[in-house]
């Protein structure tokens, strides 16, 4: 059996990697880029910095900054219109996961028309939209190297999973400098998301030797540095490791898929507007504990890659240490329980059936080493309130 691996054509990694934007555009034969970003990136001056770098090479770029967290069909429409009305030949996607996910959708809809719903999974999108140069400003989503975007249908609250090589950025500029001023909360949430990507890719039923290598290296880079970047955002060594770790974790899960944590996390996000990394973090200890019996060796490998268990530890000991570490991490990074986040218990309990249904329908739980029944998913949701 063979595995298809899909990657960006170019990766630029390290301090000031974003300064390579004009060279990358040049090598693609593109001269009319549109920067797709959000208001925060404009406010922080990041969009202007990219424009300045372009200006040095006599290039200019318009800016579309109306992307929102958890992009919806409505939220991307004005971006689609802008692309249709303009003569852009490329897109620079600048920001966290949401601007990059928005840019992926705008690239396809801007060029080919139609509605987002037409492109959702199980359709595999192989059309080449406007080429995307992705510049992430968080170490977390891995969206710069994934062939996936998630756009919410605001009428049904459905998080539509869209995938295929058509959504893969042609280039990713992985510049940890852009994460140095990220607030501690976002640093923690996105960092735990990246750790979850690496773990889930490694235990996924779709894991391959290729994705294993990326996932293990991602855990080696992320686990020892997550606390460091949370407590000291200016720690460049730790930021650099987190940034590369996040990109490798993205490559791992894009080519092996995520699993039960992500499957259960999306409905919590959709119903209660919990940031993606936070709902993952809430679920990670309980879902890992549930899944370990079906993949004892794999989870023990995770514990060893994360540096919290030694080669001498038995697999069972390593897995006990893994659970303890995930709980300790949530505590230290101040991950709230659903109750502390402000979710109403009765409301949550009333949505259990719907959330379990949505989780299973997403397909991600089917990739988990232990595939849960709807009742088991409900039990796991309930455990968040114990
Ligand atoms: Fe994620």
């Amino acid at each position: 059996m063979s595995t298809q691996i899909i990657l960006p054509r170019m990766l630029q990694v390290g301090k000031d990697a974003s300064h390579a934007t004009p060279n990358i555009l040049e090598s693609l034969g593109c001269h009319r880029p549109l920067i797709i970003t959000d208001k925060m990136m404009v406010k922080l001056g990041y969009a202007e910095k990219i424009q300045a770098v372009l200006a040095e090479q006599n290039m200019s770029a318009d800016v579309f900054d109306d992307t929102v967290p958890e992009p919806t069909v409505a939220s991307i429409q004005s971006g689609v219109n802008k692309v249709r009305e303009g003569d852009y030949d490329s897109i620079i996607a600048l920001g966290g996961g949401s601007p990059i996910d928005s840019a992926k959708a705008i690239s396809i809809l801007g060029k080919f028309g139609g509605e987002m719903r037409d492109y959702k999974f199980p359709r595999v999108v192989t059309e080449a939209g406007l080429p995307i140069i992705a510049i992430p400003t968080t170490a977390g989503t891995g969206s710069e190297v994934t062939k996936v975007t998630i756009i919410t249908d605001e009428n049904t609250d459905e998080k539509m999973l869209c995938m295929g090589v058509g959504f893969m950025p042609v280039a990713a500029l992985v510049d940890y400098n852009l994460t140095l001023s990220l607030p501690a909360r976002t640093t923690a949430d996105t960092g735990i998301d990246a750790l979850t990507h690496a773990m889930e890719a490694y235990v996924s039923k779709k894991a391959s030797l290729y994705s294993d290598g990326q996932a293990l290296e991602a855990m080696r880079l992320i686990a020892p540095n997550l606390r460091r970047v949370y407590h000291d955002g200016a720690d460049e060594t730790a930021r650099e490791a987190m940034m590369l770790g996040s990109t490798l974790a993205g490559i791992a899960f894009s080519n092996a898929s995520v699993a039960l944590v992500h499957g259960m996390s999306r409905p919590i996000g959709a119903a209660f507007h919990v940031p993606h990394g936070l709902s993952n973090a809430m679920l990670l200890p309980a879902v890992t504990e549930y899944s370990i019996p079906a993949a004892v060796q794999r989870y023990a490998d995770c514990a060893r890659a994360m540096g919290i268990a030694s080669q001498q530890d038995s697999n069972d000991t390593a897995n006990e240490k893994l659970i303890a570490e995930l709980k300790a991490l949530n505590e230290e990074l101040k991950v709230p329980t659903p109750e502390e986040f402000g979710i109403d218990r009765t409301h949550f309990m009333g949505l259990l059936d719907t959330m379990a249904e949505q989780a299973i329908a997403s397909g991600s739980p089917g990739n988990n080493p232990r595939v849960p029944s709807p009742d088991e998913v409900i039990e796991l949701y309930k455990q968040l309130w114990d």
Side-chain angles (χ1 to χ4, degrees):
M1 202 188 84
S2 68
T3 310
Q4 184 178 54
I5 309 297
I6 299 177
L7 298 166
R9 201 189 307 166
M10 286 175 275
L11 286 177
Q12 185 91 27
V13 181
K15 192 180 177 91
D16 294 332
S18 59
H19 294 188
T21 308
N23 302 351
I24 300 273
L25 284 166
E26 200 76 55
S27 67
L28 293 169
C30 295
H31 305 281
R32 280 287 294 152
L34 172 66
I35 297 175
I36 295 185
T37 188
D38 61 26
K39 298 255 185 308
M40 185 51 78
M41 290 300 118
V42 171
K43 195 175 155 202
L44 292 172
Y46 287 2
E48 210 174 316
K49 269 187 203 155
I50 299 294
Q51 285 177 308
V53 169
L54 291 171
E56 282 173 26
Q57 305 294 324
N58 297 316
M59 285 182 179
S60 65
D62 292 345
V63 175
F64 173 77
D65 65 1
D66 278 334
T67 68
V68 298
E70 298 176 52
T72 64
V73 170
S75 81
I76 59 170
Q77 192 54 49
S78 49
V80 172
N81 296 344
K82 193 167 175 77
V83 164
R84 288 223 187 113
E85 287 153 16
D87 60 344
Y88 306 108
D89 60 9
S90 50
I91 289 172
I92 297 170
L94 172 72
S98 298
I100 298 178
D101 272 6
S102 302
K104 289 175 176 180
I106 292 168
S107 142
I108 291 289
L109 290 179
K111 184 159 170 190
F112 298 105
E115 289 180 27
M116 204 64 228
R117 181 160 288 282
D118 305 336
Y119 296 94
K120 80 166 186 169
F121 188 78
R123 173 166 172 192
V124 177
V125 178
T126 51
E127 295 93 331
L130 286 186
I132 295 173
I133 294 127
I135 309 178
T137 58
T138 61
T141 68
S143 188
E144 71 279 7
V145 288
T146 72
K147 56 178 191 290
V148 181
T149 184
I150 295 178
I151 304 295
T152 302
D153 180 338
E154 61 275 18
N155 294 322
T156 59
D157 261 354
E158 180 192 3
K159 290 204 162 205
M160 296 186 289
L161 184 66
C162 306
M163 61 164 70
V165 67
F167 294 115
M168 176 60 77
V170 67
L173 279 54
V174 184
D175 184 349
Y176 72 85
N177 249 2
L178 303 177
T179 67
L180 290 174
S181 54
L182 208 60
R185 184 70 265 145
T186 318
T187 297
D189 296 352
T190 51
I192 297 178
D193 186 28
L195 179 64
T196 309
H197 293 154
M199 287 182 64
E200 294 216 284
Y202 190 72
V203 302
S204 162
K205 283 185 174 171
K206 292 188 180 155
S208 67
L209 265 182
Y210 180 86
S211 62
D212 285 353
Q214 311 293 316
L216 288 170
E217 188 54 28
M219 286 183 254
R220 283 186 198 108
L221 287 165
I222 294 166
N225 290 297
L226 193 42
R227 286 179 174 84
R228 282 176 61 178
V229 287
Y230 176 70
H231 293 299
D232 177 11
D235 183 335
E236 288 204 26
T237 313
R239 286 287 195 190
E240 183 171 21
M242 285 298 298
M243 196 67 173
L244 180 59
S246 160
T247 295
L248 296 184
I251 290 172
F253 92 80
S254 184
N255 291 291
S257 96
V258 282
L260 185 55
V261 177
H262 273 75
M264 290 180 62
S265 177
R266 290 186 209 107
I268 298 182
F272 302 103
H273 303 287
V274 181
H276 173 70
L278 259 193
S279 48
N280 281 344
M282 290 172 183
L283 287 158
L284 189 57
V287 171
T288 302
E289 208 160 11
Y290 166 82
S291 306
I292 281 174
V296 172
Q297 176 72 52
R298 288 250 146 191
Y299 280 105
D301 291 345
C302 291
R304 293 186 186 106
M306 288 165 64
I308 51 167
S310 71
Q311 296 302 330
Q312 285 71 42
D313 286 330
S314 70
N315 285 344
D316 287 343
T317 305
N319 284 331
E320 280 165 25
K321 289 182 176 176
L322 179 62
I323 297 297
E325 165 66 2
L326 296 178
K327 288 179 180 167
L329 198 56
N330 277 0
E331 202 141 296
E332 188 162 342
L333 270 50
K334 298 205 165 44
V335 172
T337 62
E339 190 171 18
E340 287 162 352
F341 186 80
I343 295 174
D344 178 69
R345 188 189 174 107
T346 317
H347 187 190
F348 189 93
M349 294 300 165
L351 281 179
L352 285 177
D353 287 337
T354 313
M355 291 199 297
E357 205 174 292
Q358 288 176 347
I360 289 172
S362 76
S364 303
N367 301 318
N368 206 56
R370 186 174 173 191
V371 179
S373 67
D375 284 346
E376 285 178 309
V377 172
I378 288 174
E379 265 324 298
L380 285 164
Y381 277 132
K382 281 186 185 165
Q383 276 188 35
L384 304 184
W385 293 84
D386 287 346

